[in-house]
Amino acid sequence: MKKLTRQIKIGNVPIGGGAPCSVQSMCSTDTRNVAATLDQIGRLAEAGCEIVRCAVPDMDAAQALAAIKAGSPMPLIADIHFDYKLALKALESGVDGLRLNPGNIGERWKVAEVVKAAAERQIPIRIGVNGGSLEKELLVKYGHPTPEAMVESALGHVRILEELNYQEIKISIKVSDVLRTLEAYRLLSDAVDYPLHIGVTEAGTIFSGTIKSSVGLGILLHQGIGDTMRVSLTGDPVHEVRVAYDILKCLGIRQRGINFVSCPTCGRCQIDLIPVAEEVERRLAHLDKNITVAVMGCSVNGPGEAREADFGIAGGRGEGLLFKHGEILRKVPQDKLADALIEEVLKP
């Protein structure tokens, strides 16, 4: 059962309180380049991203947020570190959320200024603890970024906001190690009822990062932890969104895009299945339909899987059977299999 947390809103997206886990990403563009940033946000939106974050390293970037917000089809979060003036300018620019750690902003009056401006606009603040930037005193106390150290850091930042009577809070607590991330989130989930943003930070390239994120986020989500999520990958952030939805889809939490089934191939396979499977998946990647498409390579498991799918092919010697809703439509030569399957899927 999903843990019931407090609900906040990032723009028009509800977070926590029983709302479905939302999918976030972060622009890899220079925020000061408004055109490039909006182009990337547009591609993220097409992939299904629901909330996007932009880095705000200086005042020029903060000032650019107004134009980005005006052109963004989804809520915008400003990522702020150290300088409270950047947070104030981001709020003036109309962002829908802040990501900052109040303990890193400096004097309490600076934090109070940010909280006052956020409260006036009803803008939530995400506290984001990262194992790579833990406070020095906690590193001395614990030796390295342990789960307990990260939770203590998060609760310290939370306490600052609570003392300022501010509770529009979301928390993340991430490290690149999967097991430490899991334990940290479990401890934090037991300690607070604020909504949690989950992720395995600095997970790696598209290949290794997808594996780490799928294991870590999959376990957390299955245990009911997680109100928003980001898959952190070294690559085009559009991949982050696609992987996130595949994780949610595998767990039966949310559905976006087709459920694609294909066999791993073996010595029984009598067609060149790999390019067929890759082409079908690539050409149907844009499709947002709750259907299963199977691409199978032999007569042992192939017909059964293809028959159970909404659409499918099962390979034979240089050809394959084309299935639709459990019925065989016809035999198709190998070089026509991908086209035939895609044509059936895309029929109105």
Side-chain angles (χ1 to χ4, degrees):
M1 293 292 293
K2 188 177 189 302
K3 178 180 176 179
L4 189 64
T5 54
R6 302 186 192 190
Q7 187 169 95
I8 62 173
K9 278 196 170 183
I10 306 293
N12 60 354
V13 179
I15 308 295
C21 184
S22 64
V23 173
Q24 299 191 28
S25 187
M26 184 172 183
C27 285
S28 58
T29 55
D30 185 333
T31 306
R32 293 164 293 195
N33 188 333
V34 174
T37 301
L38 284 175
D39 178 72
Q40 189 170 78
I41 289 175
R43 293 192 299 108
L44 287 167
E46 288 177 5
C49 187
E50 294 166 305
I51 300 170
V52 68
R53 180 161 49 112
C54 287
V56 187
D58 56 30
M59 191 56 70
D60 287 340
Q63 290 172 343
L65 291 172
I68 294 169
K69 168 61 181 174
S72 175
M74 71 182 93
L76 181 67
I77 293 177
D79 190 276
I80 309 290
H81 293 275
F82 309 123
D83 190 344
Y84 82 106
K85 292 180 181 178
L86 298 181
L88 294 175
K89 176 56 70 174
L91 289 168
E92 289 176 14
S93 297
V95 297
D96 302 286
L98 293 177
R99 187 277 194 196
L100 61 82
N101 290 343
N104 297 337
I105 294 298
E107 293 92 336
R108 183 61 63 94
W109 68 266
K110 294 179 180 179
V111 182
E113 285 290 309
V114 174
V115 167
K116 180 175 180 291
E120 288 171 351
R121 297 167 173 82
Q122 296 183 307
I123 300 300
I125 295 174
R126 170 158 75 92
I127 292 167
V129 173
N130 189 303
S133 55
L134 209 60
E135 296 95 318
K136 290 181 181 178
E137 59 269 24
L138 291 176
L139 290 175
V140 170
K141 178 178 178 179
Y142 290 95
H144 65 282
T146 64
E148 293 80 7
M150 290 189 291
V151 170
E152 184 171 332
S153 175
L155 295 180
H157 292 301
V158 167
R159 189 159 49 249
I160 294 171
L161 295 183
E162 288 179 338
E163 288 172 356
L164 292 168
N165 199 31
Y166 197 74
Q167 296 184 335
E168 293 295 299
I169 300 170
K170 179 172 61 169
I171 311 172
S172 68
I173 183 165
K174 299 186 286 186
V175 68
S176 58
D177 178 82
V178 172
L179 294 179
R180 277 190 289 154
T181 296
L182 291 174
E183 182 59 20
Y185 272 111
R186 289 186 188 120
L187 291 172
L188 183 62
S189 180
D190 288 341
V192 301
D193 64 354
Y194 292 114
L196 302 184
H197 171 76
I198 59 173
V200 178
T201 194
E202 288 99 35
T205 58
I206 291 172
F207 178 76
S208 61
T210 294
I211 293 170
K212 284 184 184 179
S213 297
S214 298
V215 172
L217 299 184
I219 291 172
L220 288 173
L221 289 165
H222 187 62
Q223 294 178 341
I225 298 172
D227 300 288
T228 73
M229 64 187 291
R230 180 196 174 192
V231 175
S232 298
L233 300 177
T234 305
D236 189 329
V238 169
H239 292 296
E240 299 183 349
V241 178
R242 292 172 178 163
V243 173
Y245 275 108
D246 277 347
I247 294 170
L248 292 168
K249 182 164 51 181
C250 286
L251 292 167
I253 295 173
R254 295 187 66 180
Q255 173 70 42
R256 181 182 172 85
I258 67 170
N259 178 32
F260 184 71
V261 177
S262 64
C263 73
T265 76
C266 68
R268 295 189 300 266
C269 189
Q270 294 180 304
I271 64 171
D272 189 8
L273 188 74
I274 294 173
V276 175
E278 289 176 345
E279 182 179 357
V280 170
E281 185 176 39
R282 175 179 58 80
R283 290 171 60 184
L284 295 180
H286 70 285
L287 201 63
D288 187 13
K289 284 187 176 181
N290 186 13
I291 60 173
T292 297
V293 177
V295 177
M296 305 298 294
C298 79
S299 58
V300 177
N301 298 320
E305 289 282 3
R307 188 175 288 112
E308 287 298 313
D310 296 285
F311 302 90
I313 52 176
R317 189 183 296 275
E319 62 183 8
L321 294 174
L322 178 63
F323 289 81
K324 179 179 179 181
H325 301 309
E327 301 295 328
I328 296 174
L329 296 182
R330 61 185 182 276
K331 284 185 178 181
V332 180
Q334 174 180 315
D335 62 347
K336 305 293 184 184
L337 277 172
D339 287 337
L341 178 58
I342 292 166
E343 180 183 338
E344 285 298 328
V345 172
L346 296 180
K347 279 183 178 178

